[in-house]
Amino acid sequence: MTGPSTIIDPRDDVLGRSRVTDTPELEAFYEELAARNAGAFWKRANAIEPWEPATRYRPTLWRYAEMRAMCLRALDLVRPDEAGRRVVTLLNDSDAGRENVAVCGWLFSGMQAMRPGEITPAHKHTASAHRFIMEGKGAYTVVDGHHITLGANDYVLTPNGCWHDHGVAADGEVSIWQDGLDIPLMNSLETNFYAVYDQPAQTAAYPADDLPLTYGGAALRPEGVAAWEKPYSPVMVYRWEAVRDALLNLAKVSVGSPFDGHMMRYANPLTGGWALQTMGAHMRMLPGGFRGKAHRHTGNVVYNVARGRGCSIIGGQRYDWQTHDIFCVPAWTWHEHVNLDAAEEAFLFSFNDFPVMEALGVRIEEPFPKNDGHQICAS
Amino acid sequence: MTGPSTIIDPRDDVLGRSRVTDTPELEAFYEELAARNAGAFWKRANAIEPWEPATRYRPTLWRYAEMRAMCLRALDLVRPDEAGRRVVTLLNDSDAGRENVAVCGWLFSGMQAMRPGEITPAHKHTASAHRFIMEGKGAYTVVDGHHITLGANDYVLTPNGCWHDHGVAADGEVSIWQDGLDIPLMNSLETNFYAVYDQPAQTAAYPADDLPLTYGGAALRPEGVAAWEKPYSPVMVYRWEAVRDALLNLAKVSVGSPFDGHMMRYANPLTGGWALQTMGAHMRMLPGGFRGKAHRHTGNVVYNVARGRGCSIIGGQRYDWQTHDIFCVPAWTWHEHVNLDAAEEAFLFSFNDFPVMEALGVRIEEPFPKNDGHQICAS
Amino acid sequence: MTGPSTIIDPRDDVLGRSRVTDTPELEAFYEELAARNAGAFWKRANAIEPWEPATRYRPTLWRYAEMRAMCLRALDLVRPDEAGRRVVTLLNDSDAGRENVAVCGWLFSGMQAMRPGEITPAHKHTASAHRFIMEGKGAYTVVDGHHITLGANDYVLTPNGCWHDHGVAADGEVSIWQDGLDIPLMNSLETNFYAVYDQPAQTAAYPADDLPLTYGGAALRPEGVAAWEKPYSPVMVYRWEAVRDALLNLAKVSVGSPFDGHMMRYANPLTGGWALQTMGAHMRMLPGGFRGKAHRHTGNVVYNVARGRGCSIIGGQRYDWQTHDIFCVPAWTWHEHVNLDAAEEAFLFSFNDFPVMEALGVRIEEPFPKNDGHQICAS
Amino acid sequence: MTGPSTIIDPRDDVLGRSRVTDTPELEAFYEELAARNAGAFWKRANAIEPWEPATRYRPTLWRYAEMRAMCLRALDLVRPDEAGRRVVTLLNDSDAGRENVAVCGWLFSGMQAMRPGEITPAHKHTASAHRFIMEGKGAYTVVDGHHITLGANDYVLTPNGCWHDHGVAADGEVSIWQDGLDIPLMNSLETNFYAVYDQPAQTAAYPADDLPLTYGGAALRPEGVAAWEKPYSPVMVYRWEAVRDALLNLAKVSVGSPFDGHMMRYANPLTGGWALQTMGAHMRMLPGGFRGKAHRHTGNVVYNVARGRGCSIIGGQRYDWQTHDIFCVPAWTWHEHVNLDAAEEAFLFSFNDFPVMEALGVRIEEPFPKNDGHQICAS
Ligand SMILES: [Fe+2]
Ligand SMILES: [Fe+2]
Ligand SMILES: [Fe+2]
Ligand SMILES: [Fe+2]
Ligand SMILES: [Fe+2]
Ligand SMILES: [Fe+2]
Ligand SMILES: [Fe+2]
Ligand SMILES: [Fe+2]
């Protein structure tokens, strides 16, 4: 009499994989192991060493029209001092997403609206954060005493361990932004620390926008200022106009990527590397009528449509998007992007966990090998 | 009428934390959000942003006498070609450990016995592996064609992506070692790839032990050999005698660490950094009668007693150990080590996920602040 | 009877310096040593190990009005194809300068005028070069197939080992620029190699200005383009307008350096380091009425007045300057800069050998310690 | 009527080189330039931009028997406190060598004998130094308070800026070593600073040999000790036995370099790079009967025969050597090494200025292209 086999996939029936058929002796052995906080590796080997990753997350899209309305409703329902942060959380449409409070992979994302004169109480955490501004006027953030003004489509950092508070100036307008954080990663690594500041808000300790004005020159490095020794970008905020112009310049002289069109990384100008240690961000420009090819890679990506309309085929499903819609592409999932406007460029902001993949030696990528690089779309 | 509060800890009742009392309006809002793959951040903020990490893992100890017997029994129960790897898995005594097949945190560990003439079929994976040899004669591993001989208390690498197979020479003796891998981390990051080699074993492509003989000189770098451009240590194996002697030398001129006695990192001699990208390892020597102070830190550590007898107080509980017992210290858990032999040194091997903590900017540590640095032991 | 002493400075009469008085026995010994390609260290120790550097170079200033006239006269006197490069060399007013064809230290500098339609024949060398454009229209350089257009006050690279040729477009205007090279350093190190291209000029292999358009975004890094693996900046040209604006931005939020006012390094955006391996360059802005303090440092600096009028006190002598005058500050010589216009900013471009000083561990600097930081001016 | 041509080599008669024939107008122009601290580049271009380096130095060999005698005679002729350092300087057999007090290129070398109980007064300088011990017992050096014991064929550092004094213990024996410094380089760069200590000798501030005992483990890095943040190797001394054994190990598994046999760099174990910023050092082992091929490279190399007898063909001339003879190979000069003992290994220590060449991007090398890689020997 024999019990079940450890083979869970036809490919497993090969030397180098577990191909054990359980016997009563083995089952008795398994029980003895269990009594000693132990197990038989071969019982679970094929499951915990898959041939390739199979994500627990699903492509998910959030329409700006709907989510914006939700954010605005929250304005009336809770006060920021009471909520801590009056954020609407984006939950991946999967058990993993709902359980881990994750937008995709170990990434968190939320949307936040603020009224003129409101502030988010000052605090800090080991989770890193960054923000992409979608609309409004007069928004700002204060990071370790540096006051940073924010406009639409700007991208701003709140690195690991920095005190921060946000607000909208009294003479501004209701502002809405997307937050990205690695809270789920920090929790999964059991490295999440939190502290509140001893004042509701920081007093700016430097002239407004001192960091972007100091470090924001192209291929220039300030001298005669204190050495920057932090492991993140000193620029702090990346202005939309500058990013857009850089992409338009790049497009004049480059054919671009078949997958991403023209793409710029928000970088640390002192190292050329990522702006933060655990999350990266890009802006890409898809020329009018661009039809990208499909690829897949490790790491998770959350997109925000900075401008334009188009669609993405993700895991064989089509997702149509327009300005400020948000969607995600889970790890190792085929995806391709299309600009549905024949004449106008589309701009896609995105953030990701590629710095984690690179730091751990597992940033892996491959192009879609068939059908001239295009998925067969199910929908 | 009001619903439950979001406060989950007395410390949460402060500006900067979520302190919302639910109302019917809010509950209606939550339902609308849920229908849109969204949620209210403040409902779960205090839970997902704890004041400090609270580990899901428990200190666990495996006695060598017992586990050795289990490994030897496995020799008769399954064949290596059938099991893939005839490994007894060490499962942390916690739900997380059993669910994730983890020894502690996102680390995997197992014990493996092999008879003379047996081999483990060749394969590779993105998970990194390393091994600590506990007993035997004639064991070897082959890593990307480099044949490496192994003796008791040697430490050997099988880096991310390298083809590897293991065996014991026909004229050797039954050998037992401990495996450490980051399989759970690779699964949690959805970056785990696996492949089998097209032969049962690799043919050695280089003279035996060429890598340790080439790169194993102290503070010397070979010239006239091909440049080493891999992101891991070229030494591949670290011999017990050399590590022991280095610790004895260090002890002659250093007072050592109050927490760890005299300690050496197994390093990459070309960078001074960790030998692998995702896991580190150390050997420490506790002088006779050493009574270490307590500290805690992010990251998980799995110990193997290379030699000696002592105890460790972990999270307030005492764990006695002797040669080749294995135990673990979960993240952010107080721990201190004691050498119970007044005259003889104790040697503790350990491996950890500190390279992950460092790469992601969250390697954090603190000494026990009270009672002259010693925990009050519960047992 | 005793001979001369080895003391050459009153400070030498101290333990640790050579204080030998020659004797007939010693003189006989010296002769025996000389016969064996040897000598007595103590005879020359105090000379070759000075208490501090004493430069062989002198501050020197070249008036643009005069040098411009010389360059224009050269247009009629030699043809570029005959001269190789029709450059007027700036020779430091010292024996070392004239002997080594050096502007200051191991740096070379020259001025070059070109007529529309002229080209400098293509060639390469291990000496690195960079240029600062002073006037004209339609000038360009081609570096390893990359065509780069040049305007007034732009700064452009021709790194070590790159094929390069220069010219002025047929519809341009007579253009004048300053060249900086490390020819003397390469000769002193016996590492100077030279080659001529097999065509008079390179054919542009890329769209015009592809490198600055690709890499010239502020704190942005292009993705989807071939990896840049050269040890120098990919930007190649730094536009005057962008540099000026970056300095104006910096001045809004920084008090600046007491020595240099507001200063930007022309940097490699992929590393934050110098644009070239052996020479650095800066633009500094001295606010209206700025009166800098004096300091001195290792390394040599050659200035070109991008705009404005002022003076510099160098080694106690005053040198007045106006737009496009060139002057130099030798190593370890006190210097301070003054903007003589109370209202208008002055802009000073400079290049230097600081990357050499840093790479070799000898970048050393000190402020003038007396008289509130100002030299007593001799003139 | 025409004057002399600028062509100085038949290869110069090509587009891209200076090919100007002087005219009376040009000569008048040259005079006007000279009056303005300027010159015509084309007049000297071909001279200062040679097709390839032509060294000013000559291969030179110093016999140990003779030089040892000179060093011992110096013991009686001057006292160390009077001489500062009682060193016999090795002068390259060339005008450049004698003028610059150089052994080869910008390198200095000397030989120093000390009697038991003698000390060299403590001092420091920006010039870096290292030493190779040739004979004796009880020699030591003290570097920034670290006392380091020295034996025959050990290699020891005295990095840039460190306080140092040397001596031989009272119960030791007369000791002789070779010093290598970059004094000429520091002078040529005008970066040479010197200071004397306020005591004749340093008091050891650490246990004897603490640095080699702490950092001398192979591929191990001490933890729990203060971070090492200096830009040079913490090992300080490299023991002969360990270096010899590492070479014997390497020889078991490597074919070696056709030029240098088996070769190890004295490395910084924290970076894999050179031990000092401006000078490197190697030990090479030539197997019995080894006949190396010829190559040439930028940079200068000074050899000390650690053990054995052989010859080197340098620039077409044969130089025979035996234990502790010293010889040099100037930049870009063909050279090949032969072990004249068919059975015994020869060991050649050498030091060089390769770190300078690498830091400045001009480390260039080529094999001898003819005659199966062997020069035609003139002698
Ligand atoms: Fe926050
Ligand atoms: Fe993608
Ligand atoms: Fe494996
Ligand atoms: Fe610990
Ligand atoms: Fe040139
Ligand atoms: Fe200066
Ligand atoms: Fe010295
Ligand atoms: Fe060589």
Side-chain angles (χ1 to χ4, degrees):
Chain A
M1 191 197 90
T2 59
S5 161
T6 59
I7 292 178
I8 57 180
D9 176 319
R11 289 176 292 177
D12 293 337
D13 192 9
V14 66
L15 185 69
R17 295 293 274 182
S18 173
R19 297 169 299 162
V20 174
T21 304
D22 284 345
T23 62
E25 292 75 21
L26 277 172
E27 282 167 6
F29 183 58
Y30 300 157
E31 282 179 24
E32 287 191 63
L33 288 172
R36 287 166 177 79
N37 293 313
F41 179 68
W42 57 90
K43 278 293 283 179
R44 296 173 74 182
N46 294 346
I48 66 173
E49 296 193 324
W51 293 94
E52 64 187 20
T55 182
R56 293 158 289 179
Y57 294 88
R58 294 231 294 263
T60 309
L61 184 145
W62 296 266
R63 302 230 159 272
Y64 189 52
E66 284 188 50
M67 298 311 296
R68 183 180 189 278
M70 290 287 129
C71 290
L72 295 177
R73 276 189 51 201
L75 289 177
D76 295 319
L77 288 168
V78 283
R79 298 195 318 270
D81 62 324
E82 188 185 51
R85 282 136 294 157
R86 193 175 48 205
V87 167
V88 169
T89 307
L90 305 178
L91 296 173
N92 189 277
D93 185 17
S94 62
D95 291 344
R98 285 178 285 267
E99 181 182 327
N100 301 325
V101 192
V103 65
C104 201
W106 294 122
L107 297 171
F108 168 97
S109 193
M111 287 172 58
Q112 186 161 5
M114 291 195 87
R115 283 201 188 94
E118 285 184 341
I119 60 162
T120 288
H123 63 282
K124 71 175 180 182
H125 33 67
T126 41
S128 293
H130 46 188
R131 271 156 258 291
F132 186 69
I133 314 306
M134 292 188 280
E135 60 175 89
K137 218 169 228 176
Y140 65 87
T141 197
V142 186
V143 178
D144 275 350
H146 299 277
H147 182 102
I148 295 162
T149 59
L150 301 171
N153 283 353
D154 286 356
Y155 166 70
V156 63
L157 311 176
T158 316
N160 162 359
C162 294
W163 292 112
H164 56 286
D165 55 80
H166 318 296
V168 174
D171 62 350
E173 296 171 6
V174 169
S175 298
I176 305 181
W177 58 78
Q178 181 185 7
D179 293 320
L181 290 100
D182 59 355
I183 291 172
L185 179 67
M186 292 295 111
N187 284 328
S188 92
L189 295 173
E190 304 188 333
T191 55
N192 213 358
F193 292 80
Y194 191 93
V196 294
Y197 198 64
D198 59 6
Q199 302 288 333
Q202 299 172 79
T203 305
Y206 307 92
D209 287 327
D210 71 312
L211 289 175
L213 290 171
T214 298
Y215 289 97
L220 297 170
R221 177 176 182 150
E223 303 262 15
V225 300
W228 184 263
E229 287 167 345
K230 306 291 181 60
Y232 45 83
S233 170
V235 169
M236 286 296 165
V237 67
Y238 299 74
R239 303 287 177 206
W240 160 241
E241 295 75 15
V243 175
R244 178 197 61 202
D245 290 353
L247 283 164
L248 293 172
N249 280 338
L250 176 61
K252 289 176 195 162
V253 295
S254 167
V255 295
S257 150
F259 311 112
D260 288 295
H262 303 289
M263 182 156 62
M264 287 285 175
R265 174 195 300 190
Y266 297 92
N268 181 337
L270 300 182
T271 66
W274 301 102
L276 297 171
Q277 286 178 284
T278 54
M279 292 186 291
H282 291 109
M283 183 68 80
R284 60 177 71 52
M285 186 186 83
L286 311 180
F290 176 84
R291 189 178 175 204
K293 298 201 170 187
H295 71 165
R296 63 178 175 181
H297 40 70
T298 55
N300 297 274
V301 184
V302 180
Y303 294 80
N304 185 312
V305 183
R307 175 183 296 177
R309 58 186 186 82
C311 70
S312 298
I313 321 295
I314 308 169
Q317 291 279 343
R318 173 172 167 164
Y319 295 82
D320 282 77
W321 41 255
Q322 53 184 295
T323 301
H324 290 322
D325 287 351
I326 293 171
F327 61 95
C328 66
V329 176
W332 208 240
T333 304
W334 297 114
H335 56 284
E336 59 194 280
H337 305 301
V338 179
N339 181 350
L340 291 174
D341 190 308
E344 288 292 301
E345 299 94 352
F347 289 86
L348 288 180
F349 168 86
S350 65
F351 73 90
N352 58 64
D353 52 8
F354 294 166
V356 175
M357 301 297 130
E358 291 183 0
L360 307 185
V362 287
R363 189 160 177 204
I364 300 168
E365 178 173 356
E366 67 179 24
F368 190 69
K370 294 177 293 190
N371 191 33
D372 195 28
H374 295 290
Q375 301 163 79
I376 307 304
C377 188
S379 54
Chain B
M1 189 197 89
T2 59
S5 162
T6 57
I7 292 178
I8 58 181
D9 177 319
R11 288 177 291 176
D12 293 337
D13 192 10
V14 67
L15 185 69
R17 295 294 276 182
S18 173
R19 298 170 297 164
V20 175
T21 304
D22 285 345
T23 61
E25 293 75 22
L26 277 172
E27 281 166 7
F29 183 57
Y30 300 157
E31 282 179 25
E32 288 191 63
L33 288 172
R36 287 165 176 80
N37 294 312
F41 178 68
W42 57 90
K43 278 292 283 179
R44 296 173 74 181
N46 294 346
I48 65 173
E49 296 194 322
W51 293 94
E52 65 187 19
T55 183
R56 293 158 290 178
Y57 295 88
R58 295 231 294 261
T60 310
L61 183 146
W62 296 265
R63 303 230 158 271
Y64 189 51
E66 284 188 51
M67 298 311 297
R68 183 179 188 277
M70 289 287 127
C71 289
L72 294 177
R73 276 189 51 199
L75 289 177
D76 295 318
L77 288 168
V78 285
R79 299 196 316 270
D81 63 325
E82 189 185 50
R85 282 136 294 156
R86 195 175 46 206
V87 167
V88 169
T89 307
L90 305 178
L91 296 173
N92 189 278
D93 184 18
S94 62
D95 291 343
R98 285 178 285 269
E99 181 182 328
N100 300 326
V101 192
V103 65
C104 201
W106 294 123
L107 296 171
F108 168 98
S109 192
M111 287 173 57
Q112 188 162 5
M114 292 195 86
R115 284 201 187 95
E118 284 184 343
I119 60 162
T120 287
H123 63 281
K124 71 174 181 182
H125 33 66
T126 40
S128 294
H130 46 189
R131 272 157 256 291
F132 185 69
I133 313 306
M134 291 188 281
E135 60 175 90
K137 220 172 226 173
Y140 66 86
T141 196
V142 187
V143 178
D144 276 351
H146 298 277
H147 182 101
I148 295 162
T149 60
L150 301 171
N153 282 355
D154 286 357
Y155 166 69
V156 64
L157 311 177
T158 315
N160 163 358
C162 294
W163 291 113
H164 56 285
D165 55 80
H166 318 297
V168 174
D171 62 351
E173 296 172 5
V174 169
S175 298
I176 305 182
W177 58 78
Q178 179 184 9
D179 292 320
L181 290 101
D182 60 355
I183 291 172
L185 179 67
M186 292 294 111
N187 283 329
S188 92
L189 296 174
E190 305 189 333
T191 56
N192 212 358
F193 292 80
Y194 191 93
V196 294
Y197 198 63
D198 60 5
Q199 302 287 332
Q202 299 172 78
T203 306
Y206 307 93
D209 287 328
D210 71 311
L211 288 176
L213 290 170
T214 298
Y215 289 97
L220 297 169
R221 179 177 181 147
E223 302 263 14
V225 302
W228 183 262
E229 286 168 346
K230 306 291 181 60
Y232 45 82
S233 169
V235 169
M236 285 295 165
V237 67
Y238 300 74
R239 304 286 177 207
W240 160 241
E241 294 77 14
V243 175
R244 179 198 59 202
D245 290 354
L247 283 164
L248 294 173
N249 281 337
L250 177 61
K252 289 176 195 162
V253 295
S254 167
V255 295
S257 151
F259 311 112
D260 288 295
H262 303 289
M263 182 156 61
M264 286 284 176
R265 175 195 301 191
Y266 297 92
N268 181 337
L270 301 182
T271 66
W274 301 102
L276 297 171
Q277 286 178 285
T278 53
M279 292 186 292
H282 291 109
M283 182 69 80
R284 60 176 72 51
M285 186 186 84
L286 312 180
F290 176 84
R291 189 178 176 204
K293 298 201 171 186
H295 70 165
R296 64 179 175 181
H297 40 69
T298 56
N300 297 273
V301 185
V302 180
Y303 293 80
N304 185 312
V305 182
R307 175 183 295 177
R309 60 187 185 80
C311 70
S312 298
I313 322 295
I314 310 170
Q317 290 279 343
R318 172 171 167 165
Y319 296 82
D320 282 76
W321 41 255
Q322 53 183 295
T323 301
H324 291 321
D325 288 351
I326 293 171
F327 61 95
C328 65
V329 176
W332 209 240
T333 303
W334 297 113
H335 58 285
E336 59 193 280
H337 306 301
V338 179
N339 181 351
L340 292 174
D341 190 307
E344 288 293 300
E345 299 94 351
F347 289 87
L348 287 181
F349 168 86
S350 65
F351 73 92
N352 57 65
D353 52 7
F354 294 166
V356 174
M357 300 299 129
E358 291 183 0
L360 306 186
V362 286
R363 188 160 177 204
I364 301 168
E365 178 174 354
E366 67 179 24
F368 190 70
K370 294 176 293 189
N371 192 30
D372 195 28
H374 296 289
Q375 301 163 79
I376 308 303
C377 189
S379 55
Chain C
M1 189 198 90
T2 58
S5 162
T6 57
I7 293 178
I8 57 180
D9 178 320
R11 289 177 291 176
D12 293 337
D13 192 10
V14 67
L15 186 68
R17 296 295 276 183
S18 173
R19 297 170 297 162
V20 175
T21 303
D22 286 344
T23 62
E25 292 75 22
L26 277 172
E27 281 166 7
F29 183 56
Y30 300 158
E31 281 180 25
E32 286 190 65
L33 288 173
R36 288 165 175 77
N37 293 312
F41 178 69
W42 57 89
K43 278 293 283 181
R44 296 173 74 180
N46 294 346
I48 66 173
E49 296 193 322
W51 294 94
E52 64 186 20
T55 183
R56 291 158 291 179
Y57 294 88
R58 294 231 294 263
T60 310
L61 182 146
W62 295 265
R63 303 230 157 271
Y64 190 52
E66 283 187 51
M67 297 312 296
R68 183 179 189 279
M70 289 287 127
C71 290
L72 294 177
R73 276 190 51 200
L75 289 177
D76 296 319
L77 287 168
V78 284
R79 299 196 317 269
D81 63 325
E82 188 184 50
R85 282 136 294 158
R86 194 175 47 206
V87 167
V88 168
T89 306
L90 305 178
L91 295 173
N92 189 277
D93 184 18
S94 61
D95 291 343
R98 285 178 285 268
E99 181 182 329
N100 301 325
V101 191
V103 65
C104 200
W106 294 122
L107 296 172
F108 168 98
S109 191
M111 288 173 57
Q112 188 161 5
M114 291 195 86
R115 283 200 187 96
E118 284 184 342
I119 60 162
T120 288
H123 63 282
K124 71 175 180 182
H125 33 66
T126 41
S128 294
H130 45 189
R131 271 158 257 290
F132 185 70
I133 313 306
M134 292 188 279
E135 60 175 88
K137 219 171 226 174
Y140 66 86
T141 197
V142 186
V143 178
D144 276 351
H146 299 277
H147 182 102
I148 295 162
T149 60
L150 301 171
N153 282 355
D154 285 357
Y155 166 69
V156 64
L157 311 176
T158 317
N160 162 0
C162 294
W163 292 113
H164 55 286
D165 55 79
H166 319 296
V168 174
D171 61 350
E173 296 172 6
V174 169
S175 297
I176 305 181
W177 59 79
Q178 180 186 7
D179 293 320
L181 291 101
D182 59 357
I183 291 173
L185 179 66
M186 292 294 112
N187 283 329
S188 92
L189 296 173
E190 304 188 334
T191 55
N192 212 358
F193 292 81
Y194 191 93
V196 294
Y197 198 63
D198 60 6
Q199 302 288 333
Q202 298 172 79
T203 305
Y206 307 92
D209 287 327
D210 71 311
L211 288 175
L213 289 170
T214 298
Y215 289 97
L220 296 169
R221 179 177 179 147
E223 304 262 14
V225 301
W228 183 262
E229 287 168 344
K230 305 291 182 61
Y232 45 82
S233 169
V235 168
M236 286 297 166
V237 67
Y238 300 74
R239 303 288 176 204
W240 160 242
E241 293 77 13
V243 175
R244 180 199 59 203
D245 290 354
L247 283 165
L248 294 172
N249 281 337
L250 177 61
K252 289 176 195 161
V253 295
S254 167
V255 295
S257 150
F259 311 112
D260 288 293
H262 302 289
M263 181 155 64
M264 286 284 176
R265 176 195 300 190
Y266 298 91
N268 180 336
L270 301 182
T271 65
W274 300 102
L276 297 171
Q277 286 177 285
T278 53
M279 293 185 292
H282 292 108
M283 183 69 80
R284 61 177 70 51
M285 185 186 83
L286 311 180
F290 176 84
R291 190 180 172 199
K293 297 200 171 186
H295 71 165
R296 63 179 175 181
H297 40 70
T298 56
N300 297 274
V301 184
V302 180
Y303 294 80
N304 186 311
V305 183
R307 175 184 296 178
R309 60 188 185 80
C311 71
S312 298
I313 322 295
I314 309 170
Q317 290 279 341
R318 172 172 168 164
Y319 296 81
D320 282 77
W321 40 255
Q322 54 183 295
T323 302
H324 292 322
D325 288 351
I326 292 171
F327 61 95
C328 66
V329 176
W332 208 240
T333 302
W334 297 114
H335 57 285
E336 59 194 279
H337 305 301
V338 179
N339 181 351
L340 292 174
D341 191 308
E344 287 293 300
E345 298 94 354
F347 289 87
L348 288 180
F349 169 85
S350 65
F351 74 90
N352 58 64
D353 52 7
F354 294 166
V356 174
M357 301 299 129
E358 291 183 1
L360 306 186
V362 285
R363 188 160 176 204
I364 300 168
E365 179 174 355
E366 67 179 24
F368 189 70
K370 294 175 293 188
N371 193 31
D372 195 28
H374 296 289
Q375 301 163 77
I376 307 302
C377 189
S379 54
Chain D
M1 190 196 89
T2 59
S5 162
T6 58
I7 292 178
I8 57 179
D9 177 321
R11 290 177 291 177
D12 292 337
D13 192 9
V14 66
L15 186 68
R17 295 295 275 183
S18 173
R19 297 169 297 160
V20 174
T21 303
D22 285 345
T23 62
E25 292 73 23
L26 278 172
E27 281 165 7
F29 184 57
Y30 300 157
E31 282 179 25
E32 287 190 64
L33 288 173
R36 288 166 176 78
N37 293 312
F41 178 68
W42 57 89
K43 278 293 283 180
R44 296 173 75 181
N46 294 346
I48 65 174
E49 296 194 321
W51 294 93
E52 64 187 20
T55 183
R56 292 159 289 180
Y57 294 87
R58 293 231 294 262
T60 309
L61 184 144
W62 295 266
R63 304 228 157 274
Y64 189 53
E66 284 186 49
M67 298 312 295
R68 182 180 190 277
M70 289 286 128
C71 289
L72 295 177
R73 275 189 52 200
L75 290 177
D76 295 320
L77 288 168
V78 283
R79 299 197 318 269
D81 62 323
E82 188 185 51
R85 282 136 295 158
R86 194 174 47 205
V87 167
V88 168
T89 306
L90 305 178
L91 296 173
N92 189 277
D93 184 18
S94 62
D95 291 343
R98 285 178 285 267
E99 181 182 327
N100 300 325
V101 192
V103 65
C104 201
W106 294 122
L107 297 171
F108 168 98
S109 193
M111 287 173 58
Q112 187 161 6
M114 291 194 87
R115 284 200 187 96
E118 284 184 342
I119 60 162
T120 287
H123 63 282
K124 72 175 180 181
H125 33 66
T126 41
S128 294
H130 45 188
R131 272 158 256 291
F132 186 68
I133 314 306
M134 292 188 280
E135 60 175 88
K137 219 169 226 175
Y140 65 86
T141 197
V142 186
V143 178
D144 276 350
H146 298 277
H147 182 102
I148 296 161
T149 60
L150 301 171
N153 282 354
D154 286 357
Y155 166 70
V156 63
L157 310 177
T158 316
N160 163 358
C162 294
W163 292 112
H164 56 286
D165 55 79
H166 318 296
V168 174
D171 61 351
E173 295 171 6
V174 169
S175 297
I176 305 181
W177 58 79
Q178 181 185 7
D179 293 319
L181 290 100
D182 59 355
I183 291 173
L185 179 67
M186 291 296 112
N187 283 329
S188 92
L189 295 173
E190 304 188 333
T191 55
N192 212 358
F193 292 80
Y194 190 94
V196 294
Y197 199 64
D198 59 6
Q199 302 287 334
Q202 299 171 79
T203 306
Y206 307 92
D209 287 327
D210 72 311
L211 288 175
L213 290 169
T214 298
Y215 288 97
L220 296 169
R221 179 178 179 147
E223 303 261 15
V225 301
W228 184 262
E229 287 168 345
K230 306 291 182 60
Y232 45 81
S233 170
V235 169
M236 285 296 165
V237 67
Y238 300 74
R239 303 286 177 205
W240 159 241
E241 295 75 15
V243 175
R244 179 198 60 203
D245 290 355
L247 282 165
L248 294 172
N249 281 338
L250 176 62
K252 289 176 194 162
V253 295
S254 167
V255 295
S257 150
F259 310 113
D260 288 294
H262 303 289
M263 181 155 64
M264 286 285 176
R265 176 195 300 191
Y266 297 92
N268 181 337
L270 300 182
T271 65
W274 301 102
L276 297 171
Q277 286 178 285
T278 54
M279 293 187 290
H282 291 108
M283 183 68 81
R284 60 177 71 52
M285 186 186 83
L286 311 180
F290 176 83
R291 188 178 175 204
K293 297 201 171 186
H295 71 166
R296 64 179 174 181
H297 39 70
T298 55
N300 296 273
V301 185
V302 180
Y303 294 80
N304 185 312
V305 183
R307 176 184 295 178
R309 59 186 184 82
C311 70
S312 297
I313 321 295
I314 309 170
Q317 290 279 343
R318 172 172 168 165
Y319 296 82
D320 282 77
W321 40 255
Q322 53 183 294
T323 301
H324 291 322
D325 287 351
I326 292 171
F327 62 95
C328 65
V329 176
W332 208 240
T333 303
W334 297 115
H335 56 285
E336 59 194 281
H337 305 302
V338 179
N339 180 351
L340 291 174
D341 191 308
E344 288 292 301
E345 298 94 353
F347 288 87
L348 288 180
F349 169 85
S350 64
F351 73 90
N352 57 64
D353 52 7
F354 294 166
V356 175
M357 301 298 129
E358 292 182 0
L360 306 186
V362 286
R363 189 159 176 204
I364 301 168
E365 178 174 356
E366 67 179 23
F368 190 69
K370 295 176 293 189
N371 191 32
D372 195 28
H374 295 290
Q375 301 163 77
I376 306 303
C377 188
S379 55

